[in-house]
């Protein structure tokens, strides 16, 4: 296509190759290729495909933690899809931005974006939206303390993945297990994670990181700290391959907690300090309060109660900021009752 100056064919090929590069863990190639596709679609004036490539670029910038760029790309893709009455494109334009809102401590915007993505995806037959984003919406509600709302959502995603897209089943199972842990239903969660360990197969990097995160949470609750550390390392390693900076501080926090569990205090201190620095740079409030809480536990373990109290107070301040952005009084009550601190 390039040799024969077939501009439209080149644009389609670049658009599709972006996903190949992302699945292969080549984020720089993916960014360059989707950038070329966007320029070609603008030149050719093909609006629906421009929106598609913009939404893919928004996905890439979401996981690299580029807030303003993600919002601009997502909004442009949504407006184009709205103007062209492309429901599939409207859903895809909101596919990733909810995660960015959540990690930045904006649960109101996260729930709005995820809910809209799922609703439009179901309407358009874009099944990745209710499966992947639907599972994430369930986990969002669970973290906010509303597991009664979360469990039916994640069970729906799990059922649909088994029926039509088994590739997503490990992700749905991992999320279901995490929701059950947050609901205090540990025996059921254990059965889910044991099932997950029997069906795991190759997944593209982002999905693999999602599964590893669930496994790490499970191992921590089981006090299997060496296994938790392994899952956290795997999660961070996969995320670095795809420039998933948004999620790396959370992976490092889990790793730090696992190291604390096995008594490797110096290593835990080093990794938690790095996690703190990276979360602060990107203003990621959700992992930031958890990192501060982990540092408080570390300070207590090293016999420094004053530093522990300082970290605990800072964690509480961040937590309260997030609570102030919860979209309803009912959810705010359930979140504050979760007693994370």
């Amino acid at each position: 296509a390039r040799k024969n100056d077939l501009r439209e064919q080149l644009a389609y090929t670049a658009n599709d190759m972006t996903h190949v590069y992302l699945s292969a863990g080549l984020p720089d190639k993916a960014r360059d290729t989707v950038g070329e596709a966007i320029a070609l679609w603008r030149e050719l004036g093909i609006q629906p495909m421009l929106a598609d490539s913009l939404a893919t670029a928004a996905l890439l910038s979401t996981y690299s933690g580029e807030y303003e760029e993600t919002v601009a790309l997502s909004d442009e893709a949504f407006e184009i899809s709205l103007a062209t009455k492309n429901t599939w494109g409207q859903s895809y334009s909101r596919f990733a931005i909810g995660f960015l809102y959540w990690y930045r401590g904006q649960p109101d915007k996260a729930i709005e974006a995820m809910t809209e993505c799922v609703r439009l995806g179901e309407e358009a037959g874009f099944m990745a939206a209710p499966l992947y984003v639907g599972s994430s919406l369930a986990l969002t509600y669970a973290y906010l303390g509303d597991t009664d709302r979360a469990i039916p959502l994640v069970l729906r995603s799990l059922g649909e993945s088994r029926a039509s897209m088994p590739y997503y089943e490990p992700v749905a199972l991992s999320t279901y297990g995490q929701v059950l842990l947050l609901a205090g239903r540990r025996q059921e969660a254990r059965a889910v994670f044991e099932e997950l360990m029997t069906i795991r197969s190759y997944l593209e990097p982002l999905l693999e990181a999602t599964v590893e995160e669930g496994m790490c949470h499970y191992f921590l609750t089981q006090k299997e700290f060496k296994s938790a550390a392994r899952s956290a390392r795997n999660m961070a390693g996969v995320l670095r391959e795809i420039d998933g900076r948004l999620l790396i501080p959370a992976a490092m926090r889990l790793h730090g907690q696992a190291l604390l569990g096995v008594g490797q205090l110096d290593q835990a201190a080093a990794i938690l300090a790095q996690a703190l620095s990276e979360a602060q740079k990107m203003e990621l409030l959700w992992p930031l309060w958890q990192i501060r809480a982990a540092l408080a536990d570390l300070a207590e373990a090293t016999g420094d109660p004053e530093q522990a109290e300082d970290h605990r107070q800072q964690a509480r301040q961040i937590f309260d900021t997030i609570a102030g952005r919860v979209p309803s009084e009912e959810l705010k009550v359930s979140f504050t009752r979760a007693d994370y601190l």
Side-chain angles (χ1 to χ4, degrees), residues 6-44:
L6 301 175
R7 313 291 283 171
E8 185 172 335
Q9 182 59 59
L10 181 59
Y12 277 108
T13 303
N15 186 72
D16 292 343
M17 282 300 297
T18 299
H19 297 280
V20 176
Y21 287 134
L22 183 58
S23 297
L26 299 169
D28 292 338
K29 278 276 194 182
R31 285 193 191 87
D32 291 345
T33 306
V34 79
E36 181 178 13
I38 288 169
L40 287 165
W41 296 131
R42 291 194 193 280
E43 173 191 318
L44 295 164

Side-chain angles (χ1 to χ4, degrees), residues 80-234:
I80 293 171
S81 297
L82 191 64
T84 55
K85 300 181 180 179
N86 180 357
T87 309
W88 194 101
Q90 291 172 51
S91 177
Y92 186 36
S93 72
R94 294 293 189 247
F95 191 80
I97 195 170
F99 300 96
L100 183 56
Y101 286 140
W102 175 253
Y103 274 80
R104 284 179 61 95
Q106 298 172 286
D108 48 353
K109 290 186 176 182
I111 289 173
E112 181 182 11
M114 290 181 187
T115 301
E116 186 174 39
C117 176
V118 171
R119 177 182 63 80
L120 292 166
E122 289 174 337
E123 184 179 331
F126 175 39
M127 293 309 298
L131 291 180
Y132 187 67
V133 181
S135 289
S136 299
L137 179 61
L139 189 56
T140 297
Y141 279 122
Y143 274 123
L144 293 176
D146 192 350
T147 53
D148 289 341
R149 190 176 336 195
I151 288 173
L153 278 172
V154 73
L155 283 175
R156 182 180 180 186
S157 294
L158 179 58
E160 290 180 352
S161 68
R162 285 173 167 165
S164 59
M165 294 184 74
Y167 182 69
Y168 278 95
E169 185 180 355
V171 176
L173 273 174
S174 177
T175 305
Y176 183 35
Q178 289 181 76
V179 170
L180 289 172
L181 287 175
L182 289 165
R185 293 161 58 173
R186 292 195 175 189
Q187 285 299 110
E188 293 169 80
R190 180 176 181 175
V192 169
F193 283 109
E194 287 178 349
E195 180 183 357
L196 174 60
M197 285 185 271
T198 68
I199 69 165
R200 287 188 65 175
S201 58
Y202 172 78
L203 292 168
E204 62 183 81
L206 181 59
L207 302 186
E208 179 67 20
T210 302
V211 172
E212 288 286 12
E213 181 178 18
M215 293 302 306
C216 188
H217 281 288
Y218 168 68
F219 289 133
L220 285 172
T221 62
Q222 296 295 111
K223 299 189 185 302
E224 296 179 23
F225 297 118
K226 290 183 179 179
S227 294
R230 183 181 64 248
S231 285
R233 283 196 305 270
N234 290 344

